[in-house]
Amino acid sequence: MTITQGPGPLARVLELQRIQNPGLDDVELYLRDTRPEVRAAALTVLTGAVRKGNAPRGTGDTLAWALADEHEDVRRVAADALRGLPELYLGDDGVAALQLAAARGRDPFVRETASDLLEILAQGAAELYAQGLQDGEPHVRIQAVLGLVALRAATRVAEAADDPSREVRVAVAEGLARFPLPAGLAALEALLADRDPVVRMAALDTAAEIGVPAPLEGRVITSTAHASWQVRRRAVLALGTADPAVAVQPLLAALNDRTVDVRRAAVQALEQWAGDHPDVVTALTEALTDPDPGVRTQVRWALS
C-alpha cells in the first residue's frame, strides 16, 4: 500500500536528491509514495548510486519489482535502469519479479525488458555451469548438468554425453527427457549404445518418456538383445511407447526371453495392441504355456 508523506512532490524530490549514499531504507518511504513522480525520482536516485558504485544491497530486486508499478512513467524508469545496468545483481526475489513481468507485465516494453534480462541471466548462468562441466570432480559436473537442464541449455547438456563418469552420463540421459524434440536427440542416441548398462538403462527410460522417436528405434531394438536382462527389460518397456509397426515384432521375440522379468515386460507392452494385431493375440495365446505362473496370469489378463 502506498502512502503520502508530508510536503508536495517537488519538495520530496529535492529531499531525495540531497541524500548522500542512499540506502534502501533511506528511499523506502519515497518508493511507497502515492505520487508517481516521487516514486520515479526514488528509482532515479538508486540508479545514480549504482552508477557511482554505491548501490545498496537489493537495488536490483527493487528495480525489478518496480516493473509492476501502477504508473507507466515509474515502470519506464525501472525498465530503462535495468537495461542500462546489465551488471546489476539480481537475487531470487528479483528474478521472480522479472518472471512475473515477462509473463504478465502491464506494457509491451515491460514484458520485453523482463524477457531480455531473463535471457541474459540464463546465458550468464549457462556459461558458469558449462565451466563446471570441466571440473575434476564428478559431483560438480553432475550439478553443472542439472543446472544446464534447468536452464534448458540442451546443447550444453548434450556436450557432457561422453563424460568419463557414469553418474554424469546418467544425469545427462535423464536430463534430456526435459527437452522438446529434436534437442539432444543425437546425444541420447549415443547414450543408448553406452558401454555401461546403468547409463543405457537411463537412456532407455528417457527414450520411453519421449515415445521412442524414429531416430532412436534401432538403438532401442538392439538393446532388447543386450547381455544384461535389466537392459533388455527397459528396452522392452520402451518399445511399448513406440510405433507398433516397429515395436511389435521385437516384442513378440521378447516373449521367449530367458529371463522371466523380460517376458513379463513384453506381455505388459503388447497388451495395448492385442485388440488390433492378430499376431499379438496368437503370440500371447501361445504364451499361456509359459513355465512361469506369473507370466501366464499376466497373459490371461492381457487377453481378457
Side-chain angles (χ1 to χ4, degrees), residues 147-204:
L148 290 167
V149 169
L151 292 171
R152 299 295 190 268
T155 301
R156 297 293 179 84
V157 173
E159 291 173 358
D162 60 352
D163 191 278
S165 167
R166 175 178 76 179
E167 288 73 20
V168 175
R169 300 199 304 280
V170 167
V172 172
E174 294 173 346
L176 290 175
R178 302 275 299 277
F179 300 114
L181 294 176
L185 207 55
L188 185 57
E189 185 177 3
L191 291 168
L192 285 169
D194 196 274
R195 61 189 179 277
D196 191 298
V198 174
V199 177
R200 191 176 288 207
M201 284 189 286
L204 285 166

Side-chain angles (χ1 to χ4, degrees), residues 4-69:
T4 302
Q5 296 285 329
L10 179 58
R12 296 291 280 169
V13 170
L14 291 174
E15 287 176 10
L16 270 167
Q17 294 174 348
R18 286 193 292 267
I19 298 176
Q20 298 294 321
N21 300 322
L24 289 180
D25 290 341
D26 297 320
V27 298
E28 180 180 1
L29 285 177
Y30 301 93
L31 290 169
R32 296 166 55 197
D33 197 287
T34 57
R35 294 157 296 193
E37 57 267 43
V38 176
R39 299 197 300 276
L43 295 178
T44 300
V45 166
L46 286 176
T47 302
V50 174
R51 293 201 169 98
K52 294 175 182 177
N54 299 319
R57 185 177 179 85
T59 296
D61 294 351
T62 299
L63 289 168
W65 279 111
L67 292 174
D69 194 274

Side-chain angles (χ1 to χ4, degrees), residues 67-118:
L67 292 174
D69 194 274
E70 62 187 20
H71 197 280
E72 180 180 3
D73 291 346
V74 180
R75 298 194 298 271
R76 176 69 70 176
V77 170
D80 289 344
L82 289 166
R83 282 190 176 278
L85 300 168
E87 73 283 359
L88 191 63
Y89 174 79
L90 289 170
D92 291 342
D93 198 41
V95 172
L98 291 181
Q99 291 172 331
L100 183 64
R104 297 165 55 186
R106 295 171 182 257
D107 308 292
F109 75 85
V110 165
R111 295 191 294 273
E112 182 180 353
T113 296
S115 297
D116 290 347
L117 289 171
L118 286 171

Side-chain angles (χ1 to χ4, degrees), residues 232-277:
R232 298 199 303 277
R233 179 178 177 276
R234 298 290 184 92
V236 164
L237 292 174
L239 284 175
T241 69
D243 185 339
V246 172
V248 166
Q249 291 305 314
L251 289 174
L252 294 180
L255 289 173
N256 298 311
D257 193 276
R258 61 186 178 276
T259 301
V260 170
D261 286 341
V262 178
R263 300 201 299 276
R264 290 180 179 176
V267 174
Q268 178 183 337
L270 286 166
E271 179 179 355
Q272 62 186 311
W273 296 312
D276 303 321
H277 292 73

Side-chain angles (χ1 to χ4, degrees), residues 120-130 148 151:
I120 291 170
L121 290 171
Q123 289 174 349
E127 290 294 334
L128 291 175
Y129 284 128
L148 290 167
L151 292 171

